[in-house]
Amino acid sequence: MAAESSRSFGKKRVRDEESILDKGDADRTLGLENNLTFSDTLIALQMMRAQFPNIEKVAMQPFILRSQLYSSVKDRTQVDRDLESLKKEKVLRLFKLNTGQDDHAIMFLDDYLKQVAIAVKRLEIKNQQDLEVFEWFKKYVIETKLDVSIDHQELCALLSCGAEVKDKHVTFLISAGLLNRQLIDPNMYWFTIPNIGSILKGLSQGRKELLSFLNRRKFKEMLLAPLEKKQLRFSPLDMRFHLRDLIGSGHLKTVRTPTGLLVRVSKD
Amino acid sequence: MWKAVKDREAGVLLPSSFASRIRSHRVASFDLSNHKEIVSPHNGAINSLQVDLTEARYLLSGASDGSAAVYDIQHATDYERGLIAKHRSLFVVDKQHSHGHRYAISTVIWYPVDTGLFITGSFDHYIKVWDTNTTQVVMDFKMPGKVYRTAMSSIATTHMLIAAGSTDVQVRLCDIASGAFTHTLSGHRDGVMSLEWSTSSEWILVTGGCDGAIRFWDIRRAGCFRILDQSRSQLGRRPPLAESTSKKGSVTGQSSSVKTAVSQRRIPLGNETKQLRTLRKSQILTRGPVVQRLHPGLSSSHNRATAHYGAVTGLRATGDGMYLLSSGSDSRLRLWDIDSGCNTLVNYEAMRLQPTKALQLAVTQDSSLVFVPCMATVKAYDVWSGMTCRTFRGHYELVNCCCFSSQYQELYSGSNDRQILVWSPPNPIIAEMEDGRGGLVSVADQDNWSD
């Protein structure tokens, strides 16, 4: 908690209120014994999950970008290691996004399963048969394969623990949005979050808009307090989301001034 | 510092720790040198630098205009105002030379045994071995693609092979003794941008390719024996023995015949875990794979593990041979534990690395700091915590290479602005002079005996 509050952006008050509500949610999802040892990364994750903006058009469960995590916890190596151990404990899952070279999204496992269920339901409305492949996927593949990608042989092997697997099953998974072919290698698939396409488009457009807004200013900087209140035109995600993301990835940096925090475009 | 000297006298402090303390103190006070300058004769971006390994006295540089130059970094050629030492090049070989390179020189290295030979590799597909004293080409090797990087092992006693990575997928080893190619290492899917010989064994070569894979080759055998996978990780230094053995694959006894003809789908037998034993049972799949047979301990060439999400642009092994640093075009720097082949998950703070060009990293002798050229600066990171220690700003354009001389604790960096800058601990005499007492024109290292 201390590491976080030292990096607070003036959203400290809002965060404190939400933390009280949040702890309540956490108690229910993780069980009492796990509550006793919170790593800083986990607290940051839960905090940001609670602050995920509500998007009207798309039913989207909260996800957190890795760069946002880097901006809210001081020690990045510790963040990486905590993420690795949380991934192994199956508390959360990592996904590689296609919006940049090293973009990753972190989603809590329950949220991911809810998202998958929504996608499956949508597919169910269209055609009724052969939907057991999603059950196999959930039971065998998600439980055992914790990486961001999987290759074709392994996928078929794991799915066939359910029953005989055919090509059209894999096609169903791809059309539901759970898997995506890798461009460099036709045998490997990325795991993806279903129905995230429009949000990712909004993410990259929002990043560009925010960076160009700051670049157009005379000294390429702005105080955080008025900047936070601005609305982005091209992105359904709120300004706070984008600020955390860009600060964590190094495009923006914050400077402490007597009148508050200042956000500046970084030169290197 | 005088207390440390006293402690060493008294035997409280070991001489070796005294020396390393002084060295790290000097490295911590690095800044743009106020007493030394290298005058670069190049008309193109400087791509590669190397200080010679025998005396640490000569610096070799290679540039994009096809020129290579050698400087004596210990003795200056002249002094400016009696204070600043200027080091001009001892000689330059460029396009005017009868056997010089025709295009950009991408890599220069000294012959590791002595400074009588140096090797240059260039985008004109040639690797040339030069005699330093006569500045003539002794031998050249024609490669199938643009040469990105060459390397020679500094601990080799039985071979003098130049490992060369180019835009071709195969790594070639050239032998100076015979003038021919002795080995061809295949396995990469795209060009090979960075190469390093291992610092602990003269037979092990590490290569990083544009396909993002880092492969370890033992040149006495065919094939690579390890591929670094960024998803295999360990938290920090090596875990206790019991945990690590469960990660290693179980290559069940396959007969050791050569791999069969290329077919579209194969089962990677390299890095499997125990969970995938079932994979072997359910091999009857629609796409009919062919089982690839391997020598035990060898990695399949169809193992697609990647170390970076882009090309691997730079490799550097630490002096003790235990860890490997790799930089990628995905702007990540990763630290690998060589023995276990795992990613140690150290996160080097936000850096943007130039994606298209090969970089030359530098590590201090005691592996505490790594110097990385990041865009127009050189950044020094603490190897184990990933924190930025210093940022060296001085170049006007992108920095391509940096070289650390551990004997004199100096850092040399070369960039696209055609300059080689020297970063060293400040010389206190000159710092005093600059403070305003100006007008004193005395050579800094002249004797000052009283009568």
Side-chain angles (χ1 to χ4, degrees):
Chain A
M1 274 303 263
E4 271 209 285
S5 41
S6 65
R7 303 266 304 185
S8 72
F9 293 1
K11 308 165 193 166
K12 199 171 174 179
R13 249 171 254 131
V14 182
R15 200 181 283 170
D16 282 343
E17 288 167 14
E18 289 179 45
S19 75
I20 304 169
L21 302 165
D22 212 31
K23 279 252 167 73
D25 281 346
D27 285 339
R28 267 176 262 132
T29 52
L30 294 180
L32 197 51
E33 45 206 303
N34 294 333
N35 279 353
L36 298 171
T37 52
F38 269 135
S39 57
D40 279 343
T41 320
L42 195 56
I43 294 177
L45 280 168
Q46 285 164 341
M47 214 62 89
M48 286 191 277
R49 179 183 174 275
Q51 293 170 353
F52 191 76
N54 200 354
I55 307 166
E56 309 84 31
K57 294 176 215 152
V58 188
M60 188 68 207
Q61 300 298 313
F63 66 90
I64 301 123
L65 292 177
R66 204 160 168 166
S67 44
Q68 295 180 323
L69 205 54
Y70 288 150
S71 69
S72 47
V73 180
K74 231 166 180 224
D75 186 1
R76 289 173 181 226
T77 307
Q78 194 56 38
V79 169
D80 274 352
R81 291 177 182 169
D82 287 341
L83 276 180
E84 192 65 29
S85 28
L86 287 171
K87 197 174 79 168
K88 289 206 167 75
E89 290 168 27
K90 300 192 191 153
V91 172
L92 43 83
R93 258 196 103 85
L94 252 76
F95 300 93
K96 185 169 183 309
L97 300 176
N98 60 359
T99 47
Q101 268 285 23
D102 200 18
D103 262 347
H104 289 263
I106 305 162
M107 225 179 176
F108 281 95
L109 198 62
D110 321 324
D111 293 335
Y112 175 59
L113 293 173
K114 271 187 230 159
Q115 189 77 12
V116 169
I118 296 175
V120 171
K121 202 168 298 171
R122 192 162 301 166
L123 207 58
E124 214 166 275
I125 300 171
K126 288 190 207 153
N127 62 338
Q128 253 64 12
Q129 65 275 68
D130 286 336
L131 290 175
E132 63 276 357
V133 66
F134 297 107
E135 275 308 309
W136 305 339
F137 187 76
K138 197 162 113 175
K139 212 158 69 162
Y140 303 115
V141 182
I142 296 185
E143 290 298 306
T144 40
K145 188 74 180 171
L146 301 172
D147 293 332
V148 290
S149 63
I150 188 172
D151 71 336
H152 184 81
Q153 302 299 336
E154 213 182 319
L155 177 68
C156 292
L158 288 170
L159 284 177
S160 54
C161 299
E164 184 64 43
V165 83
K166 301 194 189 63
D167 274 354
K168 61 172 181 164
H169 293 134
V170 179
T171 318
F172 277 139
L173 286 173
I174 297 179
S175 59
L178 296 173
L179 288 179
N180 205 354
R181 281 221 143 84
Q182 281 192 17
L183 292 175
I184 44 176
D185 190 350
N187 279 353
M188 302 272 294
Y189 301 102
W190 296 119
F191 284 113
T192 54
I193 306 173
N195 298 329
I196 203 178
S198 54
I199 299 186
L200 288 185
K201 180 168 180 216
L203 177 67
S204 36
Q205 282 183 327
R207 277 177 182 166
K208 264 197 326 208
E209 191 191 339
L210 180 52
L211 280 175
S212 70
F213 170 72
L214 281 175
N215 270 319
R216 269 182 283 133
R217 290 178 71 84
K218 188 173 180 191
F219 293 108
K220 304 198 190 332
E221 62 191 15
M222 188 164 172
L223 279 176
L224 184 66
L227 183 57
E228 237 189 305
K229 296 195 181 72
K230 282 193 144 333
Q231 280 275 18
L232 285 169
R233 276 179 24 210
F234 298 114
S235 171
L237 302 159
D238 63 352
M239 176 61 85
R240 200 168 41 178
F241 190 95
H242 285 289
L243 276 173
R244 280 217 179 99
D245 166 46
L246 286 173
I247 291 172
S249 60
H251 289 94
L252 297 178
K253 62 176 191 258
T254 51
V255 177
R256 206 157 258 292
T257 66
T259 41
L261 273 176
L262 185 72
V263 175
R264 186 180 287 168
V265 177
S266 63
K267 270 182 305 163
D268 302 319
Chain B
M1 173 170 131
W2 298 113
K3 181 175 186 312
V5 175
K6 274 268 178 219
D7 285 345
R8 186 181 67 157
E9 250 185 70
V12 171
L13 192 58
L14 286 177
S16 53
S17 43
F18 174 72
S20 61
R21 205 181 278 196
I22 300 269
R23 274 195 213 110
S24 43
H25 190 72
R26 276 172 64 91
V27 172
S29 63
F30 262 9
D31 209 346
L32 193 54
S33 179
N34 60 358
H35 57 95
K36 195 182 255 197
E37 204 178 291
I38 293 181
V39 180
S40 151
H42 298 293
N43 280 326
I46 296 180
N47 289 327
S48 181
L49 288 175
Q50 201 192 33
V51 176
D52 83 280
L53 303 159
T54 39
E55 299 177 90
R57 185 172 165 185
Y58 297 103
L59 176 70
L60 179 59
S61 67
S64 287
D65 63 342
S67 61
V70 171
Y71 317 84
D72 181 339
I73 47 180
Q74 292 316 317
H75 294 267
T77 47
D78 50 338
Y79 284 90
E80 180 187 314
R81 297 199 309 138
L83 293 175
I84 315 265
K86 280 192 158 330
H87 298 257
R88 285 179 207 280
S89 59
L90 299 174
F91 63 83
V92 183
V93 286
D94 57 6
K95 285 183 187 163
Q96 265 73 43
H97 193 278
S98 52
H99 294 285
H101 283 290
R102 288 193 0 254
Y103 298 137
I105 291 183
S106 56
T107 167
V108 285
I109 51 173
W110 283 107
Y111 182 54
V113 178
D114 61 34
T115 51
L117 289 177
F118 64 92
I119 294 121
T120 56
S122 141
F123 280 1
D124 66 356
H125 302 216
Y126 277 95
I127 294 177
K128 292 184 197 273
V129 181
W130 301 76
D131 178 329
T132 322
N133 294 309
T134 58
T135 58
Q136 293 300 319
V137 176
V138 174
M139 200 175 287
D140 58 20
F141 300 95
K142 184 160 193 337
M143 297 285 292
K146 295 199 280 200
V147 179
Y148 280 134
R149 197 53 83 207
T150 53
M152 279 192 81
S153 174
S154 51
I155 47 177
T157 51
T158 51
H159 66 79
M160 40 170 94
L161 296 172
I162 306 173
S166 63
T167 47
D168 185 47
V169 299
Q170 292 176 327
V171 178
R172 284 190 155 74
L173 298 184
C174 323
D175 187 11
I176 302 184
S178 60
F181 295 105
T182 51
H183 294 68
T184 303
L185 308 173
S186 357
H188 278 286
R189 274 200 187 79
D190 202 351
V192 175
M193 221 185 215
S194 51
L195 314 179
E196 270 266 300
W197 285 91
S198 158
T199 41
S200 55
S201 164
E202 58 174 326
W203 308 107
I204 296 181
L205 178 66
V206 188
T207 58
C210 295
D211 55 354
I214 295 179
R215 284 169 182 256
F216 281 72
W217 313 82
D218 185 329
I219 60 173
R220 296 170 291 187
R221 294 196 293 181
C224 70
F225 65 90
R226 187 178 292 132
I227 301 181
L228 295 181
D229 185 350
Q230 59 183 315
S231 53
R232 277 185 54 193
S233 53
Q234 67 188 37
L235 307 182
R237 294 179 205 250
R238 195 81 54 73
L241 203 56
E243 272 180 55
S244 60
T245 47
S246 65
K247 282 195 191 149
K248 295 250 164 81
S250 50
V251 180
T252 58
Q254 298 281 344
S255 63
S256 57
S257 53
V258 188
K259 66 175 189 242
T260 53
V262 177
S263 129
Q264 204 44 19
R265 306 274 183 264
R266 288 176 189 239
I267 303 175
L269 292 178
N271 296 330
E272 288 176 325
T273 65
K274 290 195 175 99
Q275 295 163 344
L276 295 182
R277 285 271 177 79
T278 53
L279 180 67
R280 307 255 178 68
K281 291 179 199 154
S282 57
Q283 275 176 15
I284 308 155
L285 297 167
T286 50
R287 301 184 198 212
V290 177
V291 176
Q292 182 186 33
R293 289 165 184 179
L294 294 173
H295 288 269
L298 279 187
S299 206
S300 160
S301 62
H302 290 268
N303 184 339
R304 305 208 167 174
T306 55
H308 281 274
Y309 284 125
V312 178
T313 51
L315 283 179
R316 176 67 63 192
T318 57
D320 52 13
M322 288 180 55
Y323 300 101
L324 179 72
L325 282 152
S326 67
S327 71
S329 62
D330 57 350
S331 292
R332 294 292 292 248
L333 187 66
R334 293 195 207 272
L335 181 68
W336 306 86
D337 182 332
I338 291 183
D339 237 354
S340 64
C342 292
N343 181 356
T344 53
L345 291 181
V346 180
N347 191 312
Y348 296 92
E349 292 178 344
M351 55 165 69
R352 297 225 286 280
L353 302 174
Q354 46 174 330
T356 47
K357 222 166 175 180
L359 296 177
Q360 200 176 331
L361 312 174
V363 189
T364 56
Q365 187 60 25
D366 56 354
S367 322
S368 59
L369 283 183
V370 54
F371 299 99
V372 186
C374 291
M375 304 313 257
T377 64
V378 178
K379 288 200 180 165
Y381 289 93
D382 180 272
V383 169
W384 281 105
S385 70
M387 299 283 178
T388 318
C389 287
R390 298 287 310 281
T391 305
F392 300 111
R393 274 175 236 274
H395 281 290
Y396 297 128
E397 292 186 36
L398 299 178
V399 183
N400 294 324
C401 47
C402 59
C403 181
F404 181 72
S405 160
S406 50
Q407 199 160 349
Y408 298 100
Q409 293 91 47
E410 280 175 354
L411 178 71
Y412 307 98
S413 59
S415 99
N416 283 358
D417 65 359
R418 312 171 185 178
Q419 297 303 318
I420 300 174
L421 291 183
V422 183
W423 308 86
S424 65
N427 185 336
I429 304 174
I430 299 194
E432 264 178 45
M433 304 259 179
E434 280 169 2
D435 262 343
R437 277 190 285 138
L440 270 161
V441 187
S442 65
V443 178
D445 49 17
Q446 225 178 37
D447 288 332
N448 197 2
W449 295 101
S450 67
D451 292 331

